[in-house]
Amino acid sequence: MATTSPPPASEPADTLQAASELLRALASPVRLGIVRELSTGGKYVHELVATLGVSQPLVSQHLRVLRTSRIVTARRQARETQYSLTDDHVAHIVLDAIRHAQE
């Protein structure tokens, strides 16, 4: 099994704080599910509601947390908003965590 070397002990405190805030933003099963779904491409709220099996207000609340943390971006298209991941790095973290939990 491959190991990842830890970051140097000299990581600036603000970098560690930013990493902590990222992990805190992901610390919800619904938010992990949203990131997992968005890892395959942009989705509308109604698509996330159907896939995750939770209410629209709950999905919207969690999307707001992810937007505030700059994990997802929103693009308005006519009467709907499509949500996408800001970049793929967070998807890798989430998908690896899900795989690890399944072992």
Side-chain angles (χ1 to χ4, degrees), residues 58-78:
L58 186 59
V59 169
S60 294
Q61 177 184 7
H62 286 290
L63 283 167
R64 185 172 48 253
V65 171
L66 294 171
R67 282 182 69 186
T68 301
S69 300
R70 292 177 275 159
I71 295 171
V72 301
T73 58
R75 189 178 74 210
R76 190 93 170 139
Q77 292 185 331

Side-chain angles (χ1 to χ4, degrees), residues 4-101:
T4 304
S5 60
S10 62
E11 283 295 327
D14 59 338
T15 300
L16 295 175
Q17 181 65 34
S20 175
E21 290 171 12
L22 169 68
L23 293 174
R24 193 174 307 119
L26 294 172
S28 160
V30 174
R31 291 194 290 268
L32 291 174
I34 289 170
V35 172
R36 181 193 62 209
E37 292 306 312
L38 295 179
S39 71
T40 62
K43 302 271 189 298
Y44 297 102
V45 173
H46 71 271
E47 294 174 308
L48 294 169
V49 167
T51 303
L52 298 172
V54 296
S55 70
Q56 184 273 324
L58 186 59
V59 169
S60 294
Q61 177 184 7
H62 286 290
L63 283 167
R64 185 172 48 253
V65 171
L66 294 171
R67 282 182 69 186
T68 301
S69 300
R70 292 177 275 159
I71 295 171
V72 301
T73 58
R75 189 178 74 210
R76 190 93 170 139
Q77 292 185 331
R79 293 175 44 161
E80 291 189 285
T81 302
Q82 185 179 54
Y83 291 88
S84 302
L85 293 176
T86 302
D87 63 52
D88 290 337
H89 292 103
V90 174
H92 291 291
I93 293 168
V94 169
L95 295 174
D96 285 347
I98 292 169
R99 278 188 219 102
H100 180 75

